[in-house]
Amino acid sequence: MSQKNDFISNKTMNNERAPLERVILVAVDTGKEDTELSLDELTQLVDTAGATVVGRMVQPRDSFNPATYIGKGKIEELQLFINTVQATGIITDDELTPAQMKNLEDILDVKVCDRTMLILDIFATRATSKEGKIQVELAMLRYEMTRLAGHGVALSRLGGGIGTRGPGETKLETDKRVIRGRITHLKSELNNIVSHRNLTREKRIKNSVPVIAIVGYTNAGKSTLLNTLTNAGILSEDKLFATLDPTTRSYSLSNGTGVLLTDTVGFINKLPHHLIDAFRSTLEEAKYADIIVHVVDASNPNRDAQMQVVYDTLNKLNVIGKPIITLFNKCDLPDSEPVHRDAYASKIIDISAVTGQGLDELGKAIIDTLRSMRTLIDVTLSYSDGALLQDIRTCGELLLEEYLESGIHIKAQVPNRLAYLDTSARKGDFD
Ligand SMILES: Nc1nc2c(ncn2[C@@H]2O[C@H](COP(=O)(O)OP(=O)(O)OP(=O)(O)O)[C@@H](O)[C@H]2O)c(=O)[nH]1
Ligand SMILES: [Mg+2]
């Protein structure tokens, strides 16, 4: 079995750290993106995974070498570099094909890892909830499955072996069958968890409590924002993918309206496509949200590209057509750039989730956005409609309440489902 598969299997089976210590980062610069910035991010990923970067090597090329990722001459240089700095492995900035990985391992005789494996590794160590663990294992099995086609890799650790092999099956077929079985099993477990969450969400929709999803690039400050607003007590740290599971907390706006704020997993450039599915169920929260709050790290030199990654990923996840409030966070830092643009946002605010600067403005922006999604009603309810009044208080905004002989005269902003109460109501009008 190759080192590569030991690496993955360790994570899958017993969540141990793989012995990945001193690594050299290797990238091909095709001119399509800023390679040095991408390697800075890869360094952060390596750091998050607990290893140390001892060097980097970039080769400008029009395209990746199909057999070895970098060119033959560069490999010799890399071999020397590995010996000089006593590296124990290399990590490539792009996902390798099974052939590229095998060839590099054979030539270099050190552990070869790609960006995808590294991200999967981080997810595996960080997943704490049952759902998170299942999602990561599913992503790893899918990654492994695509690699099986090229190698006859033994997978006895997944429960194969004596008694599990059908008549006339090759080892490869057995391995595939074992993986497929495990994938089916995990998917059904995941479905149970997701349907439970759907029930909770349906209840929320019925109660019409507005839901606001906090999304953004990893390390932008999403969890810090939720902590500052609600004392949520979520882990927030200067590492990538600190958050994997969504956390929802209630929050009361200055006009008394209650909303639910959900912190979500961060996005990253070159997100392994095996993880998109994992994100899909976690980000259902964003899909059903009323408003998207997009947190950007304004102090990051790569913020524009990061914003684009967020929008591309949201599109892939079909989270579209929602009002977006973009927050340029970390404005307390000197590197933070004060002039910002975001064509997708209906509102842009400079904030610091740490100092609290701009958070009042955020509250106002949420109130305005919710109002624009509501209907103003001006009606007199009969005294027997007390329950309706309570409903309006919980899910809308009561602007006027007068107890008259003819009934209770109210003016209120209500979710559109209650607009029928006032036949002359105008949607989104809030004078
Ligand atoms: N100076 C400063 N640092 C901040 C601010 N907001 C967040 N940070 C720091 O940025 C780092 C990342 O913050 P998190 O809240 O964990 O970021 P996140 O978006 O939840 O990250 P993931 O969960 O990894 O996707 C932490 O070290 C925070 O202390 C801010 O407004 N100013
Ligand atoms: Mg977080």
Side-chain angles (χ1 to χ4, degrees):
M1 195 185 300
S2 69
Q3 285 173 310
K4 158 184 78 73
N5 278 292
D6 281 335
F7 181 88
I8 291 287
S9 68
N10 279 348
K11 306 285 43 154
T12 310
M13 294 309 287
N14 41 32
N15 229 16
E16 282 168 11
R17 292 226 57 78
L20 188 70
E21 291 141 3
R22 296 168 57 80
V23 297
I24 295 174
L25 308 185
V26 180
V28 170
D29 183 359
T30 55
K32 287 194 190 118
E33 62 172 4
D34 189 325
T35 307
E36 290 302 330
L37 284 181
S38 189
L39 287 185
D40 288 347
E41 183 171 275
L42 195 61
T43 304
Q44 273 185 288
L45 285 167
V46 170
D47 178 50
T48 300
T52 311
V53 174
V54 290
R56 40 171 93 175
M57 179 176 266
V58 177
Q59 183 178 34
R61 279 177 71 96
D62 290 342
S63 60
F64 308 144
N65 181 309
T68 49
Y69 182 59
I70 48 174
K72 291 268 179 307
K74 204 70 180 172
I75 289 185
E76 280 169 29
E77 214 182 292
L78 180 57
Q79 182 75 71
L80 276 175
F81 194 15
I82 288 171
N83 294 339
T84 312
V85 296
Q86 294 190 324
T88 54
I90 65 156
I91 302 186
T92 60
D93 197 33
D94 298 279
E95 185 168 322
L96 297 174
T97 64
Q100 286 168 333
M101 184 153 308
K102 181 165 188 331
N103 291 337
L104 283 172
E105 270 174 359
D106 288 349
I107 302 167
L108 298 170
D109 202 27
V110 289
K111 182 184 277 293
V112 176
C113 176
D114 61 14
R115 188 181 243 266
T116 300
M117 280 168 71
L118 184 62
I119 293 175
L120 287 173
D121 175 62
I122 293 169
F123 269 64
T125 21
R126 300 224 144 203
T128 48
S129 70
K130 187 163 183 225
E131 180 182 0
K133 285 182 178 161
I134 292 176
Q135 284 170 343
V136 173
E137 190 177 346
L138 266 176
M140 284 181 155
L141 289 173
R142 286 185 176 128
Y143 178 85
E144 200 152 353
M145 190 78 169
T146 58
R147 259 124 238 277
L148 264 189
H151 304 282
V153 181
L155 285 164
S156 50
R157 63 182 184 279
L158 286 174
I162 298 168
T164 59
R165 200 179 301 192
E169 275 184 341
T170 65
K171 186 82 190 74
L172 179 62
E173 284 164 346
T174 312
D175 290 345
K176 280 190 174 174
R177 186 166 55 79
V178 170
I179 292 193
R180 265 195 221 106
R182 180 83 187 143
I183 288 179
T184 309
H185 170 74
L186 290 173
K187 269 185 171 166
S188 84
E189 270 198 60
L190 195 59
N191 279 342
N192 287 341
I193 299 173
V194 171
S195 54
H196 175 76
R197 200 166 51 212
N198 285 348
L199 272 182
T200 320
R201 187 183 307 121
E202 270 167 29
K203 230 158 104 196
R204 274 186 217 149
I205 293 172
K206 219 165 139 215
N207 292 340
S208 284
V209 182
V211 175
I212 298 166
I214 303 172
V215 305
Y217 207 80
T218 182
N219 215 39
K222 302 176 292 298
S223 302
T224 308
L225 175 67
L226 189 60
N227 284 340
T228 305
L229 290 172
T230 70
N231 290 323
I234 308 165
L235 170 76
S236 114
E237 55 179 345
D238 198 9
K239 296 234 161 137
L240 306 188
F241 301 119
T243 308
L244 286 194
D245 301 309
T247 302
T248 302
R249 290 284 180 275
S250 54
Y251 178 64
S252 205
L253 295 165
S254 61
N255 64 354
T257 306
V259 295
L260 292 173
L261 291 171
T262 298
D263 181 23
T264 60
V265 62
F267 299 142
I268 194 157
N269 193 19
K270 303 182 189 173
L271 180 71
H273 61 271
H274 306 281
L275 274 175
I276 291 265
D277 263 351
F279 272 111
R280 209 179 290 277
S281 94
T282 306
L283 281 160
E284 291 284 281
E285 296 296 314
K287 202 164 164 185
Y288 293 96
D290 299 285
I291 299 175
I292 301 287
V293 165
H294 176 191
V295 183
V296 180
D297 179 352
S299 70
N300 192 304
N302 215 15
R303 62 193 157 255
D304 288 341
Q306 294 185 343
M307 286 169 69
Q308 200 48 53
V309 167
V310 170
Y311 288 124
D312 289 348
T313 315
L314 285 177
N315 263 330
K316 268 190 209 142
L317 293 162
N318 224 3
V319 181
I320 41 176
K322 298 191 185 293
I324 296 172
I325 300 173
T326 294
L327 305 178
F328 286 95
N329 189 31
K330 309 196 187 180
C331 72
D332 56 294
L333 294 178
D335 292 341
S336 169
E337 170 74 51
V339 183
H340 308 295
R341 271 161 290 132
D342 181 358
Y344 298 96
S346 46
K347 177 86 185 167
I348 292 172
I349 308 169
D350 273 339
I351 69 150
S352 165
V354 165
T355 67
Q357 187 185 326
L359 297 189
D360 284 349
E361 209 184 324
L362 168 62
K364 283 190 201 113
I366 294 174
I367 291 173
D368 286 350
T369 310
L370 285 176
R371 278 180 176 170
S372 71
M373 297 161 73
R374 287 177 172 176
T375 305
L376 178 78
I377 57 166
D378 183 346
V379 283
T380 303
L381 301 173
S382 73
Y383 279 98
S384 58
D385 280 338
L388 204 50
L389 195 62
Q390 190 47 40
D391 193 11
I392 292 171
R393 272 205 196 94
T394 332
C395 61
E397 188 185 345
L398 204 51
L399 305 170
L400 173 86
E401 185 180 359
E402 281 181 312
Y403 288 81
L404 310 174
E405 231 173 84
S406 53
I408 314 166
H409 174 216
I410 61 156
K411 279 189 188 177
Q413 294 288 349
V414 294
N416 295 334
R417 73 179 163 89
L418 292 175
Y420 72 93
L421 292 170
D422 180 354
T423 46
S424 62
R426 289 160 300 160
K427 187 175 174 298
D429 195 346
F430 48 92
D431 288 332

